[in-house]
Every structure is written in structure tokens, then in C-alpha cells.
């Protein structure tokens, strides 16, 4: 399928989720706990799946698909559910539809959740979403009946803090070098 999903992120809605010890936990630890066999129940927690669909450099796709540079942003609030009895893990959109703004106004189309899996090392999340009808935003389209198989990295809060620190340091270095170059140019 000629499409590139350039961004997939899952952002907690900051609602606490009870753990089997009765304490609140982060969303990342909830993913890990949802697959824990010690508790025999169905657990569910909210996330937003954010997709930015469009043409990507070096991706193989038809010449005219998303050639304009247009993107199709989709935000899909979902519940990630796991039944510990039968080991079934489902992603359940909170609405039966997804909407975005097209050239002629609001576009509302159905979306169907699929399953989700956490890798054995608990660092990779895979999930699927299906679109029974065609989604079209200018020259970006998803054909009717398409199932997107998405994969993303799961980060702990400590890893996110470390990445943020590295980003801020790199940004500071860039600003410093930019200032030095301006001083030289004078």
C-alpha cells in the first residue's frame, strides 16, 4: 500500500489506572502490567493514537500520491484492552468514526480497532486499525478496507527525560554556534 505514516505517538490522557497493588501507574507500566498473568481480569486504559499520513522521502508509492505535500492528520482516542483470561489484547476506538478537515469541510469516516501486542522486551508496541471506507484529503488517500499495521517504540519516563535533556542540550549548542557565526559575520 503506497503510504507512509511519518508519526505515530501515543499520549496518555493522564487518567490514573489502578495496578494490582492498588497504586496508580504510568501508561508505559500499564502496558507491561496488562500482559501480566498474575491478575485474572480485563483491563483497559486510554490513549490517543496520532497519525500524520503523507508522502515521505525515498518511500515507494505512485507518482501522484500525496505529491502536493498535503498530509492527512488523524487523531483516534482509543482504549487499549487486555483480557488476561484469554490473552486477547484489543484496541477499541472511543468513537466509531474518525474525522479530519478536507477541502470541503469536515470529513467523518468509520474506523475499526484491531489488536495490539507488546514485544517480549516490552519496548515495542504494535497495533492495527482498519478503515472500511475510503479516506481522501486532496491527493492523500487510504483505500476502503485498508488495515494499518503500526509499530512504535515504548519509552519509560526516565528514557523520555534523557531524550528531552539531549534535545535541549543540542538546541542550546545550535543557538550558541549560531551566535558565534553572527559575531564572525559582523
Amino acid at each position: 500500500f503506497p503510504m507512509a505514516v511519518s508519526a505515530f505517538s501515543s499520549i496518555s490522557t493522564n487518567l490514573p489506572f489502578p495496578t494490582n497493588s492498588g497504586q496508580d501507574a504510568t501508561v508505559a507500566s500499564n502496558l507491561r502490567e496488562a500482559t501480566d498473568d498474575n491478575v485474572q481480569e480485563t483491563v483497559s486504559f486510554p490513549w490517543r493514537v496520532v497519525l500524520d499520513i503523507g508522502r515521505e522521502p525515498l518511500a515507494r508509492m505512485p507518482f501522484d500520491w500525496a505529491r502536493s505535500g498535503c498530509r492527512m492528520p488523524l487523531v483516534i482516542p482509543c482504549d487499549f484492552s487486555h483480557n488476561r483470561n484469554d490473552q486477547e489484547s484489543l484496541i477499541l476506538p472511543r468513537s466509531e468514526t474518525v474525522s479530519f478537515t478536507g477541502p470541503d469541510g469536515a470529513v467523518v469516516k468509520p474506523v475499526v480497532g484491531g489488536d495490539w501486542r507488546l514485544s517480549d522486551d516490552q519496548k515495542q508496541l504494535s497495533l492495527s486499525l482498519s478503515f472500511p471506507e475510503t479516506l481522501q484529503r486532496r491527493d492523500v488517500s487510504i483505500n476502503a478496507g485498508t488495515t494499518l499495521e503500526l509499530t512504535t517504540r515504548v519509552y519509560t519516563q526516565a528514557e523520555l527525560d534523557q531524550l528531552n535533556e539531549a534535545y535541549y542540550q543540542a538546541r542550546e549548542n545550535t543557538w550558541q554556534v549560531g551566535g558565534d557565526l553572527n559575531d564572525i559575520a559582523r
Side-chain angles (χ1 to χ4, degrees):
F1 181 71
M3 175 181 66
V5 177
S6 66
F8 164 73
S9 64
S10 307
I11 304 168
S12 166
T13 58
N14 293 324
L15 296 175
F17 176 74
T19 66
N20 59 350
S21 62
Q23 301 172 352
D24 292 341
T26 65
V27 171
S29 65
N30 290 339
L31 267 178
R32 292 175 178 102
E33 183 181 318
T35 58
D36 184 357
D37 294 329
N38 295 333
V39 179
Q40 299 297 316
E41 62 185 71
T42 298
V43 294
S44 180
F45 43 96
W47 275 20
R48 289 185 308 146
V49 176
V50 180
L51 306 175
D52 180 18
I53 300 169
R55 191 173 198 86
E56 291 297 314
L58 305 177
R60 294 183 52 190
M61 56 191 69
F63 180 74
D64 288 335
W65 191 89
R67 187 167 181 224
S68 69
C70 180
R71 311 292 293 183
M72 184 186 310
L74 301 176
V75 178
I76 308 166
C78 296
D79 284 321
F80 281 63
S81 175
H82 180 76
N83 185 315
R84 292 181 176 121
N85 292 322
D86 61 13
Q87 297 300 306
E88 183 176 45
S89 299
L90 299 175
I91 179 170
L92 308 167
R94 291 190 158 197
S95 171
E96 294 179 353
T97 59
V98 63
S99 63
F100 58 92
T101 303
D104 298 324
V107 177
V108 180
K109 297 290 184 170
V111 61
V112 178
D115 62 342
W116 65 269
R117 297 162 304 287
L118 191 58
S119 64
D120 290 339
D121 65 359
Q122 300 183 340
K123 292 192 179 267
Q124 189 169 339
L125 172 67
S126 300
L127 63 98
S128 63
L129 293 166
S130 298
F131 299 94
E133 295 181 18
T134 298
L135 278 71
Q136 179 88 34
R137 184 169 193 246
R138 296 182 21 192
D139 59 347
V140 178
S141 63
I142 298 176
N143 296 331
T146 296
T147 297
L148 299 181
E149 296 289 338
L150 307 169
T151 302
T152 190
R153 171 80 158 76
V154 177
Y155 295 95
T156 65
Q157 188 60 51
E159 290 171 322
L160 289 174
D161 293 344
Q162 185 178 26
L163 289 170
N164 279 334
E165 182 59 35
Y167 167 77
Y168 291 129
Q169 185 60 47
R171 184 178 68 180
E172 183 64 33
N173 292 344
T174 301
W175 288 347
Q176 181 65 40
V177 169
D180 292 345
L181 289 173
N182 286 338
D183 291 343
I184 292 170
R186 289 184 212 181

